[in-house]
Amino acid sequence: MQAGLSAQRLFPFTFRPHLSPLPLPRFTFQTLRAIKPSKPYSNPNLGFRCESTMVSSPPPPIMVKDKIDLTEKERQIFDRLLEVVRHFNLRTQLRVAGGWVRDKLLGRECHDIDIALDDMKGEEFCDKVNEYCLYIGQEENKIGVIRSNPDQSKHLETARIRLFDMWIDFVNLRSESYCENSRIPTMQFGTAEEDAYRRDLTINSLFYNINKELIEDFTNRGISDLKGGRIVTPLPPKDTFLDDPLRVLRAIRFGARFEFVLDEELKKAAVCNEVKVAISKKISRERIGLEIDLMVSGNQPSKAMGCICELELFWIVFSLPHNFEPVVPEGYDRFCFGYMDAAWDLLQHIGCQSFNEDQKRLYLYGALFLPLRKFVYLNNKAKKVPLVNHIFGDSLKLKASDAKTVVSLHDASEKFLSLIPFLMTNKDIEKVEDGFTSTNLDVPMTSRCRIMTGLLLREIKGFWRVALLMSTLIYQKDYDQIEAFSNNCVELQKSEAVYRMVEKIIIESGLENVWVLKPLLDGNDIKDVLQLKNGGPLVKEWQNKLWEWQLAYPSGTRDECLDWMRSSHSKRVKLTES
């Protein structure tokens, strides 16, 4: 082990990858004009499958059950609710509404039970449930109430209570009337039929009557649209969307989830300016963010995002601040979708076993916003901040940590681009190092690359596979080639080969979990060698140097590391004094 190694400042790196993944000056506006749809609601010829089966192709036949089979726990819950009705001599009809009915008819399990009441509010009935629990000698349960907020299109008050280890929501059936020049309705108790027609979609308007153990289809379309794989609103779609504009995004999400076809009239209503303005002005960003997150986390995220692009809702959902640069060119929404579509295809191609749900979700967000990674905006302190931060924090109201991770993934993907050629071909590290701050350690070329790879993985930690996979989307590809990537088996195989080879090298180098590696020397050891009483920037600088030494010499001992530091520090002092 060599102790007398040169030790100039080694960290942090300044990266300028030899392959720029998204060179904005090379952007081709002719390509954008070619892919722009001629009509707002027509399927654009994008080349990367915005014309998904959700919005254009007839769906396959849907298997729908004739009756609902209850689980043991569902039977316990319903029996308890009926006991409450009988105990208090109530006339209340108990109906399970919406998604639970739909999913049970499709043969899917659902743990989201919403009970619709025909003659009282949810909180009142929950009080009755607790009163009955005390009567039979059981503890009462805490009741949660979500109040209505008509200004944000939250028209109903919802109460929830826990029964048999499941949360059950209760809400009253509703009927609505509108004052002149107002789209905010006056709420009142309604019949089950009136309530069904106020639902977002026909497939969500079905009821299961607990009292009678019957399925109720008051629109006379719910079951037929479910069997036909159609996304339709019970009332005229424009009226339905203006009542609650979030229903546009819900229609897209359910269409993608079940691979159902969006009704043509629904699509026309979704792209009209009045509805778009209502989405921007009337719906809280938290509700929008939740719907988008459910899409990205769902089983068909690419189909959902393709439909958002097709209906020209991308910049309404992912709203931009006023003070950002450079200007986003027309058609960039489709480039964003193209990268997400390619990312989704690649993820399906290689398999998802190496990624948890959060990693998959942020990988797709990272790919979606990859074309925006060079854009910045001025925050309220006049500081330049990545545009991605605004989208996550203000447009979607998602966690700040999500934005931070996506920005880190973009940076790490670029850094991987500079390492991949050496890792793949063992070419001269001096050429690959263009943009890296040289380590100046007197070590073999392979060790120098190991240092840079290890430091990159320490920076991105458990998301390194995500960043590596994202970098393969843009490795040796031109910016506007992404439309030729999706569903292209040859390109998918090339990207998978790059990913698998680099992943194998990292694992065989012992770097797979390098960020959990403990340092051989701590801060006190460094202060002893430097003869310092307190810490500070110099200690931090040496900590970074020592990490590089430790990465270069994975079998090195604590004593060898101390010898190297003493020798390097001594040389530095002599150079300073001379």
Side-chain angles (χ1 to χ4, degrees), residues 119-324:
D119 62 354
M120 67 176 69
K121 288 190 174 181
E123 186 176 11
E124 183 182 354
F125 189 82
C126 287
D127 287 334
K128 296 289 186 184
V129 173
N130 270 340
E131 190 176 341
Y132 179 74
C133 287
L134 292 174
Y135 171 76
I136 62 175
Q138 295 183 0
E139 292 185 3
E140 63 180 359
N141 298 282
K142 184 177 180 180
I143 300 172
V145 180
I146 303 173
R147 304 296 178 187
S148 62
N149 185 357
D151 289 337
Q152 295 291 340
S153 295
K154 176 69 175 71
H155 302 312
L156 287 177
E157 178 180 290
T158 304
R160 48 183 0 217
I161 194 170
R162 195 167 181 83
L163 291 175
F164 301 99
D165 296 323
M166 281 186 66
W167 283 105
I168 313 298
D169 286 356
F170 295 85
V171 68
N172 60 279
L173 294 173
R174 63 171 174 162
S175 176
E176 300 171 351
S177 60
Y178 293 86
C179 299
E180 189 175 354
N181 299 324
S182 174
R183 286 304 308 169
I184 298 178
T186 300
M187 297 301 304
Q188 55 195 20
F189 282 100
T191 65
E193 182 176 358
E194 288 173 328
D195 187 276
Y197 276 98
R198 299 310 311 176
R199 298 270 164 175
D200 55 357
L201 303 172
T202 56
I203 63 172
N204 294 335
S205 68
L206 298 165
F207 292 107
Y208 175 73
N209 190 311
I210 297 174
N211 302 61
K212 300 177 181 178
E213 298 187 358
L214 291 176
I215 300 166
E216 298 172 329
D217 184 2
F218 291 104
T219 68
N220 295 314
R221 289 205 56 170
I223 292 177
S224 62
D225 285 337
L226 196 60
K227 290 181 177 179
R230 295 183 291 268
I231 298 295
V232 184
T233 57
L235 293 175
K238 185 175 179 180
D239 292 341
T240 299
F241 293 156
L242 291 177
D243 171 22
D244 183 356
L246 191 72
R247 290 169 172 172
V248 177
L249 299 183
R250 286 175 58 82
I252 293 170
R253 177 164 65 86
F254 284 117
R257 176 182 172 185
F258 297 114
E259 299 189 72
F260 285 3
V261 173
L262 297 187
D263 175 66
E264 288 299 317
E265 292 301 315
L266 182 152
K267 290 192 285 183
K268 291 178 183 179
V271 300
C272 80
N273 287 332
E274 193 175 356
V275 170
K276 288 181 180 179
V277 170
I279 295 173
S280 297
K281 303 296 184 183
K282 197 175 178 182
I283 303 300
S284 71
R285 284 289 154 179
E286 287 85 355
R287 295 181 71 200
I288 291 175
L290 177 59
E291 283 297 321
I292 295 299
D293 216 39
L294 288 171
M295 292 181 199
V296 174
S297 304
N299 62 321
Q300 295 290 347
S302 181
K303 290 181 182 296
M305 203 55 56
C307 192
I308 285 177
C309 280
E310 181 193 11
L311 299 179
E312 299 184 343
L313 299 173
F314 192 89
W315 299 123
I316 293 173
V317 170
F318 305 112
S319 61
L320 302 178
H322 298 296
N323 51 345
F324 67 91

Side-chain angles (χ1 to χ4, degrees), residues 64-80:
V64 177
K65 291 188 173 183
D66 295 326
K67 65 184 185 70
I68 287 178
D69 299 315
L70 300 180
T71 65
E72 182 178 350
K73 181 168 288 189
E74 289 165 346
R75 175 61 68 186
Q76 284 181 308
I77 292 170
F78 295 168
D79 285 347
R80 173 58 54 85

Side-chain angles (χ1 to χ4, degrees), residues 472-490:
T472 66
L473 290 172
I474 47 184
Y475 178 64
Q476 293 184 339
K477 297 181 183 72
D478 291 331
Y479 177 44
D480 51 2
Q481 284 182 338
I482 194 66
E483 67 269 21
F485 182 90
S486 297
N487 212 28
N488 184 319
C489 290
V490 174

